[in-house]
């Protein structure tokens, strides 16, 4: 069974890569056992980190909220199992820096007990109110499971001026080695389709396009059977060419609709919302089963493990546990990578945990790790320009980033770079182009933070200066009124034949006596006994 015919467009650039998919798809999906300790970083999504709502020593149930995010672009964090909070503090996390970050560590009690923490299933989910769906997705802490980890509830709430006419389902999975979405569609196609119908209910698009790369015939077949045909109710399954990075959001929108997402814009600006197939399955489980996002499918692969496979994993499981479930390391393991070989990053240790966006672990042997030759000067060949899927000028961005001319780099749309690595892949001079772009972006973000801090400090200084000036003016006005009153008293005394100095002294004494009499009255009132028959005390 093949996908429906559909007009396809071509995005600029891209490269054809060996897919290395078959290694991890020969075995069925297996459930990873519950580990003894789960390490849950508080930042697992784009946006502000979640704030802990539990303390060390507290016992939690499976699915219980343990950290919440009240920002619009944020996601809650839930306990993947029942157990005791062993630590709320810094732990090594999966990040290119290899540094530690705030985490919640749970010691599992082995019971895997939900208690009362499971969210109540929504029975009439086929007619669910869009607002109720968004709230459930937010309450479940669901983010994009394709790797970007953007909070999914935000995508279900387009702005009033954004008319969404097309829902794009991303089943491309274009990076080499990664097969978790492929296996998800093979084994849980019904959940993906049900999740898609829920999202359709919220967005009310005119059509839905499910894009799956043509190197996944089993997934296409399973999704077609779950849908009930290649095309049904304005839903169409489309086989797309396996060219990297077709799975990028902008590139997939271009391939399926022919629309170009504007620079620094979003797909919603051109009437499109895009969701990953794993995200849809998570939405289905949250609505129908009442389960927050506490586990995900992870590909463990590469020639550095004995038994490449896909595992359903509790979030927070240490990578070392997954390596053991994949048969352990083989000889000559050179590098451990989270994500794909193009956009992933090397891990400093296998003690770090699986997070919401962690779709793949690659154990690579020395023979598999491409060792680029020495970095040589740019020869202006233009190969990077031909390969860039974002239609940028990588060569110019490289020069501006290297020269720290960040204004020029932004003029050349630096932030439209998706860091896919196509430019560096084809560069004959072995220039690590993406690293320069990341450096420039981080510097610009740092300067922007400093600018905002300086602006806030300036505003605080201006407000303090205005307050001091206002207090000085008020003080001067009070003094002026006091002097005017004294002058008036002097003039009145002079008209009555009284000595002006004596009049001023008499007025001051009168004011002092009045204040003293008022204070005495207050003291007497405060000390007066309360009568039991006092009407005010009844």
């Amino acid at each position: 069974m093949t996908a429906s015919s559909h007009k396809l467009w071509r995005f600029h650039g891209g490269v054809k890569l060996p897919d290395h998919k078959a290694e991890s798809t020969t075995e069925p999906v297996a459930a990873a056992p519950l580990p003894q300790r789960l390490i849950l970083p508080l930042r697992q999504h784009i946006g502000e980190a979640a704030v802990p709502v539990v303390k060390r020593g507290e016992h939690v149930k499976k699915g219980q909220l343990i950290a919440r995010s009240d920002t619009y672009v944020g996601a809650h964090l839930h306990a993947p199992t029942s157990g005791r909070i062993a630590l709320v503090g810094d732990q090594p996390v999966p990040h290119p820096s290899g540094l530690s970050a705030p985490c919640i560590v749970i010691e599992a009690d082995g019971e895997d007990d939900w208690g009362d923490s499971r969210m109540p299933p929504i029975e009439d989910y086929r007619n669910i109110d869009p607002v109720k769906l968004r709230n459930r997705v937010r309450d479940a802490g669901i983010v994009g499971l394709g790797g970007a980890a953007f909070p999914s509830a935000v995508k279900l709430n387009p702005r009033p001026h954004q008319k969404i006419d097309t829902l794009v389902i991303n089943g491309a999975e274009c990076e080499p080695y990664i097969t978790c979405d492929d296996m998800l569609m093979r084994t849980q196609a019904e959940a993906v389709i049900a999740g898609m119908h829920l999202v359709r209910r919220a967005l009310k698009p005119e059509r839905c396009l499910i894009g799956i790369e043509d190197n996944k015939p089993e997934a296409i077949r399973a999704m077609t059977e779950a849908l009930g045909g290649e095309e049904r109710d304005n839903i169409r399954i489309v086989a797309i060419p396996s060219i990297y990075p077709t799975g990028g959001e902008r590139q997939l929108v271009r391939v399926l609709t022919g629309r170009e997402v504007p620079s620094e814009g979003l797909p919603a600006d051109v009437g499109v919302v895009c969701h990953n197939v794993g995200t849809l399955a998570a939405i289905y489980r949250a609505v129908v089963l009442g389960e927050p996002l506490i586990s995900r499918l992870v590909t463990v692969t590469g020639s550095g493990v004995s038994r490449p496979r896909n595992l359903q994993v509790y979030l927070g499981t240490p990578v070392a546990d997954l390596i053991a479930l994949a048969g352990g390391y083989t000889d000559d393991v050179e590098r451990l990578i989270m994500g794909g070989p193009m956009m992933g990053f090397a891990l400093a240790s296998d003690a770090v945990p699986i997070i919401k966006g962690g779709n793949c672990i690659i154990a690579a042997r020395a023979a598999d790790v491409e060792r680029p030759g020495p970095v040589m000067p740019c020869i202006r060949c233009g190969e990077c320009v031909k390969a860039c899927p974002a239609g940028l000028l990588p060569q110019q961005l490289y020069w501006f980033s290297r020269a720290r001319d960040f204004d020029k780099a932004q003029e050349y749309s630096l932030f439209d770079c998706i860091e896919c690595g196509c430019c560096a892949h084809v560069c004959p001079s072995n220039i690590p182009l993406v690293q320069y772009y990341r450096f420039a972006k981080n510097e610009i973000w740092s300067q922007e933070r400093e600018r905002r801090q300086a602006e806030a400090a300036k505003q605080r200084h201006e407000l303090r200066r205005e307050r001091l000036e206002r207090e000085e003016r008020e003080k001067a006005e009070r003094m002026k009124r006091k002097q005017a009153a004294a002058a008036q008293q002097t003039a009145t005394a002079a008209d009555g034949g009284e000595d002006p100095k004596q009049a001023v002294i008499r007025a001051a004494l009168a004011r002092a006596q009045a204040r003293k009499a008022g204070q005495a009255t207050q003291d007497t009132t405060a000390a007066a006994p309360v009568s039991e028959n006092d009407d005010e005390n009844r």
Side-chain angles (χ1 to χ4, degrees), residues 116-123 132 136 286-291:
D116 297 327
S117 296
R118 190 191 293 268
M119 297 178 291
I122 299 175
E123 296 180 359
K132 191 173 184 179
R136 172 55 62 94
V287 172
V288 178
L289 304 178
E291 296 181 4

Side-chain angles (χ1 to χ4, degrees), residues 121-193:
I122 299 175
E123 296 180 359
D124 190 19
Y125 64 89
R126 290 181 177 83
N127 298 312
I128 188 172
D129 179 73
V131 175
K132 191 173 184 179
L133 175 63
R134 287 196 296 269
N135 291 337
R136 172 55 62 94
V137 170
R138 180 173 178 79
D139 291 343
I142 297 175
V143 301
L145 298 184
F150 189 81
S152 300
V154 179
K155 285 189 175 183
L156 297 177
N157 189 28
R159 296 172 182 173
H161 68 276
Q162 294 172 329
K163 170 58 179 173
I164 306 303
D165 58 45
T166 303
L167 173 62
V168 168
I169 307 304
N170 191 344
E173 198 170 48
C174 59
E175 274 221 63
Y177 290 96
I178 309 176
T179 59
C180 57
D181 285 349
D182 184 1
M183 297 302 289
L184 176 73
M185 289 185 285
R186 295 191 199 186
T187 59
Q188 301 181 42
E190 293 81 5
V192 175
I193 295 297

